[in-house]
Amino acid sequence: MSDVDRRPDGASDTEAHDLSEVGAEVPKAASDVPKAGANVPDVPKTGADVPRAAPDAPKVGANEAEPAADPDPDAAASGSGSDGEELRRLRAEVAALRAELTARRGAPVRPLLPGLRRALAAVLVALAGFGLVASVVGVWGARTTLKTDRWVATVAPLPEHPEVNAAMATYLTDQVFANLDVQRRLTDALPPKAAFLAGPVSGAVQDYFRERVQKFMGTPQFAALWEQANRFAHAQLTAIVEGKSETVTVQDGTVTLNLLPIVNDVLVTVSNELPTLFGKQLQLPTLSSGQIPPDLRERIQTALGVTLPADFAQITVYHDADLSGFQHAVVLFKRGLVLLVLGTLLCLGLALAVSPGRRRTLLQFGVAVAVSTVALEAVLHAVRDRMLERVPDGLYRQAASVAVHEIFTTPRERGDQLLWCGIAVAVLAYLAGPGRLPVLLRRSAVRGARATASGARSAATSERLAEQAARHLDPLRVAGVVLAAVAALLVASWTAFLVILAVLAAYEAAVTLLARRGPAAPVPSGRAG
């Protein structure tokens, strides 16, 4: 068979030769074209050739072992659009991170600022807490000691206390009997054989005189004289402090509480009841308006027939030869009090401004107020004890202790209020915090409030309860008023009284609303239509 006959496609020999040359060139061209997925120009023919090509091709994960050279931006841009966009985004993130790292390394002191702010806020809030307590005490002291009306109102009820009453009566009785020498007069008046009775009789007369003084101290007449004596003494003290001695005469820097008008009226009372005690009827004026006659001492001396000492029935309140020093101290006290109040407000404002956590600062402020109140009360107790040590032990020290306790009633009440306010602020600030216990307490309070409200709503919607409230509305209202009145009689402060009024108003409103839910009262048949 010929070659033509052996080729099924009918190609000639010339065509076969051409095809053989083309076929020889095809494998050669195929070696130049990389197969799909190949990373190297040499295409391995078998699996044994793979290790030989590995040194020239990057392995999987080679980018993690050795950093490759940065790709050419132009080459990256010539690639696909998504790959170029991703490259630009990564470069921007790296640049931003490097800039942030450089900024942090350049300012190493910034992390210390929050700690310094917390420390500064703690110091300022401690000063503000102490300043608040000291300001309250200072304002009270300035208003009470430098205002005559407030001082008189403060000391007016002192003689009502038994200890003060007994001490004043004993003092006035001793003053009178020490200058009258009653025992010597009784000895001269008694027969020689009865002279031994002068001592017991003198003691009995002295006790009688003391009882009359105590009885007189409970009269409105004594109250007027006591108020006038304190008002005049305070006017003297104010004259020293403010340097207004043109209106009030102050001698040798001494301020005295003049009890001579009280002695005068007691002598008049005893002379009317027991005229033989002085051997004659005493011709003395009765002082009821509080006005002191200028010649009262001379008139008492003439009536008693004795010479009274200059300090008779005089209680020294203040004595200091250096008046300028005392005046300067009072001026400094006034100015310091103003600066203390302003400084307290400033410290509190700055503490809240610089604090990185205002809730924590408020908690510290409440604790500072409570601690400062307790500390200041301890200091005041120590000062009071030192003052009482200068008073003779016995009756007079007891009276002085009662007087000091009565005078300092207002600052004690303000101190208690500040203490509880500080505790309340600290507790509220703590409960508002993110701690586990505050969160648990808040959740428990919310659940309890919801349960209480649900119970109240169910009780309010109860038809039987509403029916009973509507049927007995008037007795329920009267009972609430009666209970509120009894509670008001048991309390002694305006704060408690206002709380009782608020509770009463809430009770009356609740009862009225509950009664409205009940069935309407039946209308009598005679009025229908």
mmCIF file of all heavy atoms in Angstrom, residues 48-74:
data_model
loop_
_atom_site.group_PDB
_atom_site.id
_atom_site.type_symbol
_atom_site.label_atom_id
_atom_site.label_comp_id
_atom_site.label_asym_id
_atom_site.label_seq_id
_atom_site.Cartn_x
_atom_site.Cartn_y
_atom_site.Cartn_z
ATOM 1 N N ALA A 48 10.640 13.681 40.388
ATOM 2 C CA ALA A 48 12.020 13.694 40.875
ATOM 3 C C ALA A 48 12.703 14.995 40.600
ATOM 4 O O ALA A 48 13.724 15.300 41.192
ATOM 5 C CB ALA A 48 12.800 12.537 40.237
ATOM 6 N N ASP A 49 12.181 15.808 39.646
ATOM 7 C CA ASP A 49 12.825 17.075 39.322
ATOM 8 C C ASP A 49 12.405 18.205 40.234
ATOM 9 O O ASP A 49 12.920 19.295 40.149
ATOM 10 C CB ASP A 49 12.502 17.469 37.870
ATOM 11 C CG ASP A 49 13.086 16.450 36.897
ATOM 12 O OD1 ASP A 49 14.105 15.841 37.288
ATOM 13 O OD2 ASP A 49 12.521 16.287 35.802
ATOM 14 N N VAL A 50 11.432 18.007 41.151
ATOM 15 C CA VAL A 50 10.918 19.104 42.017
ATOM 16 C C VAL A 50 11.966 19.598 42.960
ATOM 17 O O VAL A 50 12.152 20.799 43.125
ATOM 18 C CB VAL A 50 9.656 18.639 42.767
ATOM 19 C CG1 VAL A 50 9.211 19.678 43.763
ATOM 20 C CG2 VAL A 50 8.556 18.324 41.767
ATOM 21 N N PRO A 51 12.761 18.784 43.648
ATOM 22 C CA PRO A 51 13.761 19.328 44.566
ATOM 23 C C PRO A 51 14.774 20.181 43.874
ATOM 24 O O PRO A 51 15.348 21.083 44.463
ATOM 25 C CB PRO A 51 14.407 18.077 45.178
ATOM 26 C CG PRO A 51 13.370 17.021 45.034
ATOM 27 C CD PRO A 51 12.692 17.305 43.740
ATOM 28 N N ARG A 52 15.064 19.896 42.574
ATOM 29 C CA ARG A 52 16.058 20.687 41.885
ATOM 30 C C ARG A 52 15.542 22.084 41.607
ATOM 31 O O ARG A 52 16.293 23.030 41.599
ATOM 32 C CB ARG A 52 16.426 19.989 40.562
ATOM 33 C CG ARG A 52 17.937 19.905 40.377
ATOM 34 C CD ARG A 52 18.344 19.247 39.111
ATOM 35 N NE ARG A 52 17.350 18.633 38.316
ATOM 36 C CZ ARG A 52 17.188 17.317 38.197
ATOM 37 N NH1 ARG A 52 17.961 16.478 38.882
ATOM 38 N NH2 ARG A 52 16.273 16.797 37.397
ATOM 39 N N ALA A 53 14.271 22.225 41.391
ATOM 40 C CA ALA A 53 13.707 23.549 41.101
ATOM 41 C C ALA A 53 13.376 24.327 42.355
ATOM 42 O O ALA A 53 13.099 25.496 42.289
ATOM 43 C CB ALA A 53 12.463 23.402 40.235
ATOM 44 N N ALA A 54 13.374 23.678 43.553
ATOM 45 C CA ALA A 54 12.961 24.351 44.795
ATOM 46 C C ALA A 54 13.844 25.515 45.175
ATOM 47 O O ALA A 54 13.347 26.533 45.633
ATOM 48 C CB ALA A 54 12.933 23.315 45.932
ATOM 49 N N PRO A 55 15.200 25.455 44.978
ATOM 50 C CA PRO A 55 16.008 26.612 45.385
ATOM 51 C C PRO A 55 15.689 27.856 44.601
ATOM 52 O O PRO A 55 15.891 28.958 45.081
ATOM 53 C CB PRO A 55 17.445 26.145 45.147
ATOM 54 C CG PRO A 55 17.367 24.674 45.213
ATOM 55 C CD PRO A 55 16.036 24.308 44.640
ATOM 56 N N ASP A 56 15.232 27.729 43.387
ATOM 57 C CA ASP A 56 14.951 28.923 42.588
ATOM 58 C C ASP A 56 13.559 29.487 42.831
ATOM 59 O O ASP A 56 13.273 30.608 42.460
ATOM 60 C CB ASP A 56 15.095 28.596 41.094
ATOM 61 C CG ASP A 56 16.501 28.144 40.752
ATOM 62 O OD1 ASP A 56 17.438 28.642 41.459
ATOM 63 O OD2 ASP A 56 16.643 27.348 39.827
ATOM 64 N N ALA A 57 12.637 28.714 43.449
ATOM 65 C CA ALA A 57 11.249 29.178 43.640
ATOM 66 C C ALA A 57 10.989 29.386 45.122
ATOM 67 O O ALA A 57 11.436 28.619 45.955
ATOM 68 C CB ALA A 57 10.291 28.125 43.064
ATOM 69 N N PRO A 58 10.243 30.397 45.488
ATOM 70 C CA PRO A 58 9.909 30.621 46.915
ATOM 71 C C PRO A 58 8.939 29.583 47.416
ATOM 72 O O PRO A 58 7.960 29.255 46.734
ATOM 73 C CB PRO A 58 9.288 32.026 46.923
ATOM 74 C CG PRO A 58 8.769 32.218 45.537
ATOM 75 C CD PRO A 58 9.672 31.451 44.635
ATOM 76 N N LYS A 59 9.213 29.060 48.581
ATOM 77 C CA LYS A 59 8.325 28.076 49.192
ATOM 78 C C LYS A 59 7.116 28.770 49.821
ATOM 79 O O LYS A 59 7.092 29.955 50.035
ATOM 80 C CB LYS A 59 9.072 27.291 50.272
ATOM 81 C CG LYS A 59 10.226 26.471 49.719
ATOM 82 C CD LYS A 59 10.888 25.722 50.847
ATOM 83 C CE LYS A 59 12.049 24.908 50.346
ATOM 84 N NZ LYS A 59 12.726 24.181 51.444
ATOM 85 N N VAL A 60 6.152 27.914 50.133
ATOM 86 C CA VAL A 60 4.951 28.427 50.818
ATOM 87 C C VAL A 60 5.363 28.864 52.216
ATOM 88 O O VAL A 60 5.969 28.115 52.971
ATOM 89 C CB VAL A 60 3.862 27.339 50.884
ATOM 90 C CG1 VAL A 60 2.668 27.863 51.633
ATOM 91 C CG2 VAL A 60 3.496 26.914 49.472
ATOM 92 N N GLY A 61 5.019 30.093 52.580
ATOM 93 C CA GLY A 61 5.423 30.646 53.890
ATOM 94 C C GLY A 61 6.764 31.275 53.888
ATOM 95 O O GLY A 61 7.305 31.630 54.913
ATOM 96 N N ALA A 62 7.423 31.422 52.746
ATOM 97 C CA ALA A 62 8.748 32.038 52.713
ATOM 98 C C ALA A 62 8.675 33.504 53.044
ATOM 99 O O ALA A 62 9.634 34.077 53.521
ATOM 100 C CB ALA A 62 9.383 31.817 51.330
ATOM 101 N N ASN A 63 7.552 34.151 52.821
ATOM 102 C CA ASN A 63 7.416 35.582 53.172
ATOM 103 C C ASN A 63 7.487 35.798 54.672
ATOM 104 O O ASN A 63 7.816 36.861 55.150
ATOM 105 C CB ASN A 63 6.089 36.132 52.629
ATOM 106 C CG ASN A 63 6.066 36.152 51.119
ATOM 107 O OD1 ASN A 63 7.115 36.239 50.498
ATOM 108 N ND2 ASN A 63 4.868 36.041 50.538
ATOM 109 N N GLU A 64 7.140 34.778 55.475
ATOM 110 C CA GLU A 64 7.190 34.910 56.922
ATOM 111 C C GLU A 64 8.602 34.675 57.451
ATOM 112 O O GLU A 64 8.985 35.251 58.448
ATOM 113 C CB GLU A 64 6.230 33.910 57.571
ATOM 114 C CG GLU A 64 4.782 34.127 57.163
ATOM 115 C CD GLU A 64 3.868 33.072 57.750
ATOM 116 O OE1 GLU A 64 4.386 32.205 58.503
ATOM 117 O OE2 GLU A 64 2.674 33.086 57.470
ATOM 118 N N ALA A 65 9.376 33.842 56.753
ATOM 119 C CA ALA A 65 10.723 33.543 57.248
ATOM 120 C C ALA A 65 11.687 34.647 56.908
ATOM 121 O O ALA A 65 12.458 35.093 57.736
ATOM 122 C CB ALA A 65 11.224 32.212 56.675
ATOM 123 N N GLU A 66 11.685 35.144 55.686
ATOM 124 C CA GLU A 66 12.618 36.171 55.253
ATOM 125 C C GLU A 66 11.840 37.265 54.571
ATOM 126 O O GLU A 66 10.976 37.015 53.719
ATOM 127 C CB GLU A 66 13.621 35.587 54.252
ATOM 128 C CG GLU A 66 14.555 34.550 54.872
ATOM 129 C CD GLU A 66 15.529 34.031 53.848
ATOM 130 O OE1 GLU A 66 15.513 34.559 52.695
ATOM 131 O OE2 GLU A 66 16.296 33.127 54.171
ATOM 132 N N PRO A 67 12.044 38.507 54.977
ATOM 133 C CA PRO A 67 11.302 39.604 54.351
ATOM 134 C C PRO A 67 11.739 39.776 52.915
ATOM 135 O O PRO A 67 12.912 39.802 52.582
ATOM 136 C CB PRO A 67 11.681 40.830 55.189
ATOM 137 C CG PRO A 67 12.988 40.471 55.793
ATOM 138 C CD PRO A 67 12.975 38.975 56.007
ATOM 139 N N ALA A 68 10.748 39.890 52.077
ATOM 140 C CA ALA A 68 11.027 40.097 50.650
ATOM 141 C C ALA A 68 11.182 41.562 50.370
ATOM 142 O O ALA A 68 10.815 42.427 51.172
ATOM 143 C CB ALA A 68 9.901 39.501 49.801
ATOM 144 N N ALA A 69 11.743 41.828 49.246
ATOM 145 C CA ALA A 69 11.925 43.228 48.852
ATOM 146 C C ALA A 69 10.575 43.871 48.598
ATOM 147 O O ALA A 69 9.613 43.217 48.199
ATOM 148 C CB ALA A 69 12.787 43.291 47.593
ATOM 149 N N ASP A 70 10.491 45.191 48.916
ATOM 150 C CA ASP A 70 9.236 45.911 48.724
ATOM 151 C C ASP A 70 8.865 45.883 47.257
ATOM 152 O O ASP A 70 9.694 46.144 46.372
ATOM 153 C CB ASP A 70 9.386 47.377 49.168
ATOM 154 C CG ASP A 70 9.575 47.449 50.661
ATOM 155 O OD1 ASP A 70 9.181 46.473 51.356
ATOM 156 O OD2 ASP A 70 10.116 48.481 51.136
ATOM 157 N N PRO A 71 7.651 45.564 46.971
ATOM 158 C CA PRO A 71 7.241 45.522 45.563
ATOM 159 C C PRO A 71 7.252 46.897 44.969
ATOM 160 O O PRO A 71 7.097 47.894 45.660
ATOM 161 C CB PRO A 71 5.832 44.913 45.637
ATOM 162 C CG PRO A 71 5.349 45.244 47.000
ATOM 163 C CD PRO A 71 6.565 45.232 47.885
ATOM 164 N N ASP A 72 7.396 46.918 43.722
ATOM 165 C CA ASP A 72 7.410 48.190 42.998
ATOM 166 C C ASP A 72 6.007 48.751 42.965
ATOM 167 O O ASP A 72 5.049 48.054 42.605
ATOM 168 C CB ASP A 72 7.916 47.946 41.574
ATOM 169 C CG ASP A 72 8.145 49.256 40.843
ATOM 170 O OD1 ASP A 72 7.950 50.303 41.485
ATOM 171 O OD2 ASP A 72 8.509 49.204 39.651
ATOM 172 N N PRO A 73 5.821 50.005 43.411
ATOM 173 C CA PRO A 73 4.474 50.574 43.392
ATOM 174 C C PRO A 73 3.872 50.552 42.007
ATOM 175 O O PRO A 73 2.674 50.333 41.849
ATOM 176 C CB PRO A 73 4.689 52.007 43.903
ATOM 177 C CG PRO A 73 5.959 51.955 44.668
ATOM 178 C CD PRO A 73 6.807 50.913 43.977
ATOM 179 N N ASP A 74 4.717 50.786 41.006
ATOM 180 C CA ASP A 74 4.165 50.784 39.654
ATOM 181 C C ASP A 74 3.716 49.396 39.254
ATOM 182 O O ASP A 74 2.669 49.206 38.618
ATOM 183 C CB ASP A 74 5.218 51.289 38.654
ATOM 184 C CG ASP A 74 5.603 52.732 38.960
ATOM 185 O OD1 ASP A 74 4.756 53.422 39.571
ATOM 186 O OD2 ASP A 74 6.731 53.138 38.614
#
